[in-house]
C-alpha cells in the first residue's frame, strides 16, 4: 500500500460538453477528450484530470480551444496552466487553492476578451456577451481572509443585466483590486433597447466595493425607462448613491420625473426577493406625470380604475424594497377615477372655472 503507483486510469473521446449542465445551468456546445488517473497511496491518493476541447462554447462564449489540467491531493486543488484560446488571444488560470479554510492559496488569472465571459458560469444575473476585456489578478491568503491584487479593463464591452432585462453596450472603464477592495475610478456604458424604447441612456459609475461595504455613485444623467405595469417615462438622476453594508445597502439621492406613467397595483405587492435594498430618495415631478391603476379589459365591475395627473415637489421614498414607504404631499391636477362602474372626473383649474366662474 505504501508503494507509489497508478491505482486507476481512464479516458474518453468526444464527450459532449453539455455534461457540464449537471454542475452549471448554462448552455454548452462541442465535445472534449478526457484523461484521468488516480495515483499514489490509497491513504492519500492524487487525482489528476486533463481535458482538451476544440471549437466549443462555455455558457454562450465561443473558444477555438480549451485545455484544462487539474489535480487534487489532500485538501488542495491545483490548476496547471489551464488555457483558453480564441484566435490569437490566449488566457490562462494557474495555481492552487485549499479546499478547507485553514490552508493558504496561490492563484493567478489572466483572462482576455472572450475568456472574461467565464463569469457567466458564476452568476445568471449578469451575462457577458462580447467586447474587449482583460482581467489580471493574483490571489493569496486564505479562504477566510483572501487577499487580491490586479485589475480589470473593459473596452467597448457588451453584457446583459437580468434585473433590467436589457443589455448595457459600449462598456468602457477599469477597476483596481487591492486586498479585498475593488476600486472603480470610472465605468461608462449605454443602456439602449426595448426597456428604453430604443433611447440611448448614458450611464456612469464610480466608487468602491468590498465584502462589507458599498460606496458607489451614479453620474448625473437623464434616462428613459419602460417597464410594463410598473413605470414608463423620463427620469433625471441626480446625486444617486448606493452605499452602506453589502447585506443591505441604501439607494439615495434626488430624482425628477417627466412625461411619465406610474402604474399602481390593485393588490399589495408580495415581499420582494433578492437584494435587501433600502431607500432614501427625494422625488420631484415636472410635467405630464400620471398615476394609473386598473385594467380596462377586466370584466369585474368592482375593479377600480384610475388615471390622475399628479404633481409633487418633495416626496420621500423610504423603507425597503420589500416594504417601501412614501412621505410627502402629492397634488392631484386632473384625471378620472372609476369605482363600481361609476366614473368621477377631476377637472383641471381651467375647466373648473367654467362651472365656478
Amino acid at each position: 500500500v505504501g508503494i507509489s503507483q497508478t491505482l486507476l486510469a481512464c479516458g474518453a473521446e468526444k464527450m459532449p460538453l453539455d455534461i457540464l449542465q449537471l454542475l452549471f445551468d448554462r448552455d454548452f456546445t462541442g465535445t472534449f477528450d478526457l484523461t484521468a488517473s488516480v495515483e499514489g497511496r490509497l491513504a492519500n491518493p492524487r487525482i489528476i484530470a486533463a481535458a482538451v476541447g476544440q471549437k466549443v462554447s462555455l455558457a454562450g462564449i465561443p473558444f477555438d480551444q480549451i485545455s484544462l489540467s487539474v489535480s487534487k491531493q489532500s485538501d488542495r486543488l491545483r490548476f496547471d496552466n489551464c488555457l483558453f484560446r480564441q484566435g490569437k488571444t490566449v488566457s490562462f488560470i494557474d495555481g492552487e487553492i485549499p479546499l478547507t479554510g485553514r490552508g493558504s492559496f496561490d492563484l493567478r488569472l489572466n483572462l482576455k476578451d472572450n475568456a472574461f465571459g467565464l463569469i457567466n458560469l458564476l452568476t445568471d444575473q449578469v451575462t457577458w456577451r462580447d467586447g474587449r476585456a482583460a482581467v489580471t489578478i493574483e490571489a493569496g491568503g486564505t479562504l477566510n481572509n483572501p487577499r487580491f491584487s490586479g485589475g480589470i479593463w473593459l473596452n467597448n464591452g457588451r453584457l446583459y443585466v437580468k434585473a433590467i432585462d436589457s443589455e448595457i453596450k459600449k462598456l468602457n472603464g477599469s477597476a483596481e483590486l487591492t486586498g479585498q477592495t475593488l476600486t472603480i475610478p470610472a465605468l461608462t456604458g449605454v443602456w439602449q433597447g426595448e426597456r428604453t424604447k430604443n433611447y440611448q441612456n448614458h450611464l456612469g459609475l464610480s466608487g468602491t466595493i468590498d465584502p462589507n461595504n458599498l460606496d458607489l455613485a451614479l453620474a448625473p444623467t437623464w434616462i428613459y425607462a419602460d417597464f410594463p405595469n410598473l413605470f414608463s417615462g423620463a427620469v433625471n438622476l441626480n446625486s444617486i448613491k448606493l452605499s452602506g453594508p453589502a447585506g443591505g445597502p441604501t439607494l439615495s439621492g434626488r430624482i425628477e420625473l417627466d412625461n411619465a406613467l406610474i402604474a399602481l397595483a390593485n393588490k399589495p405587492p408580495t415581499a420582494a426577493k433578492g437584494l435587501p435594498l433600502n431607500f432614501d430618495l427625494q422625488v420631484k415631478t415636472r410635467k405630464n406625470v400620471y398615476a394609473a391603476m386598473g385594467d380596462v379589459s377586466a370584466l369585474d365591475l368592482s375593479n377600480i380604475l384610475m388615471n390622475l395627473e399628479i404633481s409633487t415637489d418633495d416626496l420621500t421614498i423610504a423603507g425597503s424594497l420589500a416594504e417601501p414607504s412614501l412621505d410627502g404631499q402629492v397634488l392631484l391636477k386632473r384625471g378620472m377615477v372609476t369605482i363600481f362602474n361609476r366614473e368621477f372626473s377631476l377637472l383641471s383649474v381651467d375647466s373648473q372655472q367654467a362651472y365656478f366662474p
Side-chain angles (χ1 to χ4, degrees):
V1 200
I3 300 175
S4 178
Q5 57 182 331
T6 298
L7 304 175
L8 177 67
C10 63
E13 294 183 353
K14 298 189 180 304
M15 290 189 63
L17 200 61
D18 57 13
I19 194 175
L20 292 178
Q21 289 181 336
L22 296 173
L23 302 175
F24 305 97
D25 185 19
R26 306 289 186 272
D27 293 328
F28 300 92
T29 59
T31 62
F32 67 98
D33 299 335
L34 173 70
T35 60
S37 63
V38 179
E39 301 176 352
R41 301 177 179 179
L42 284 175
N44 184 24
R46 184 186 183 201
I47 303 172
I48 304 171
V52 177
Q54 309 283 346
K55 300 296 183 182
V56 300
S57 173
L58 303 179
I61 302 298
F63 293 97
D64 290 335
Q65 183 188 58
I66 59 171
S67 175
L68 308 178
S69 178
V70 182
S71 61
K72 175 191 177 296
Q73 187 168 26
S74 299
D75 62 349
R76 303 192 69 78
L77 183 66
R78 178 166 184 80
F79 301 90
D80 293 304
N81 207 20
C82 299
L83 301 179
F84 304 85
R85 299 178 184 272
Q86 177 68 11
K88 296 181 179 180
T89 303
V90 180
S91 303
F92 70 84
I93 300 174
D94 186 67
E96 60 182 23
I97 60 175
L99 299 177
T100 65
R102 293 191 300 268
S104 61
F105 66 94
D106 178 19
L107 192 64
R108 291 164 296 282
L109 289 82
N110 191 325
L111 308 178
K112 299 177 182 178
D113 299 342
N114 273 27
F116 185 74
L118 292 176
I119 64 170
N120 298 353
L121 297 175
L122 305 178
T123 176
D124 63 348
Q125 298 301 310
V126 176
T127 303
W128 177 256
R129 299 291 200 210
D130 52 47
R132 301 296 306 276
V135 179
T136 303
I137 295 175
E138 293 187 1
T142 65
L143 290 180
N144 295 329
N145 185 28
R147 312 300 295 177
F148 304 93
S149 64
I152 303 171
W153 298 266
L154 301 176
N155 183 8
N156 199 27
R158 183 169 66 101
L159 57 78
Y160 170 81
V161 181
K162 187 176 182 179
I164 58 176
D165 190 22
S166 303
E167 285 187 346
I168 306 295
K169 307 174 183 179
K170 299 180 181 179
L171 274 170
N172 293 284
S174 63
E176 182 180 354
L177 190 56
T178 304
Q180 296 184 12
T181 301
L182 182 69
T183 301
I184 306 172
L187 179 64
T188 61
V190 176
W191 173 26
Q192 181 183 18
E194 183 180 353
R195 290 289 172 260
T196 72
K197 289 192 173 179
N198 216 34
Y199 284 93
Q200 288 192 0
N201 294 331
H202 293 269
L203 306 176
L205 182 71
S206 61
T208 59
I209 302 173
D210 65 45
N212 300 315
N213 190 69
L214 300 179
D215 186 11
L216 299 171
L218 196 63
T221 185
W222 275 96
I223 67 170
Y224 191 94
D226 181 39
F227 293 94
N229 302 318
L230 183 62
F231 177 85
S232 180
V235 184
N236 183 19
L237 304 177
N238 196 358
S239 303
I240 300 297
K241 292 186 176 181
L242 183 64
S243 57
T250 298
L251 185 66
S252 62
R254 301 189 302 275
I255 62 175
E256 288 183 287
L257 307 180
D258 191 31
N259 292 307
L261 177 66
I262 304 169
L264 305 178
N266 283 324
K267 299 179 181 179
T270 56
K273 298 180 180 179
L275 180 67
L277 184 64
N278 301 308
F279 296 114
D280 183 15
L281 295 169
Q282 308 302 315
V283 182
K284 180 180 179 180
T285 60
R286 290 195 173 187
K287 62 181 185 300
N288 300 328
V289 177
Y290 286 82
M293 182 174 66
D295 182 2
V296 295
S297 64
L299 297 178
D300 185 3
L301 297 181
S302 65
N303 187 33
I304 299 177
L305 304 177
M306 183 183 77
N307 187 19
L308 296 173
E309 184 179 2
I310 62 175
S311 174
T312 182
D313 288 326
D314 189 18
L315 177 66
T316 299
I317 302 178
S320 66
L321 189 62
E323 296 182 359
S325 64
L326 303 177
D327 183 27
Q329 186 179 56
V330 177
L331 302 180
L332 306 179
K333 300 178 68 174
R334 60 179 175 176
M336 53 77 73
V337 177
T338 300
I339 305 176
F340 297 113
N341 209 29
R342 291 184 177 272
E343 182 177 311
F344 302 88
S345 295
L346 178 64
L347 302 179
S348 64
V349 175
D350 294 337
S351 298
Q352 290 181 37
Q353 291 177 352
Y355 293 92
F356 307 101

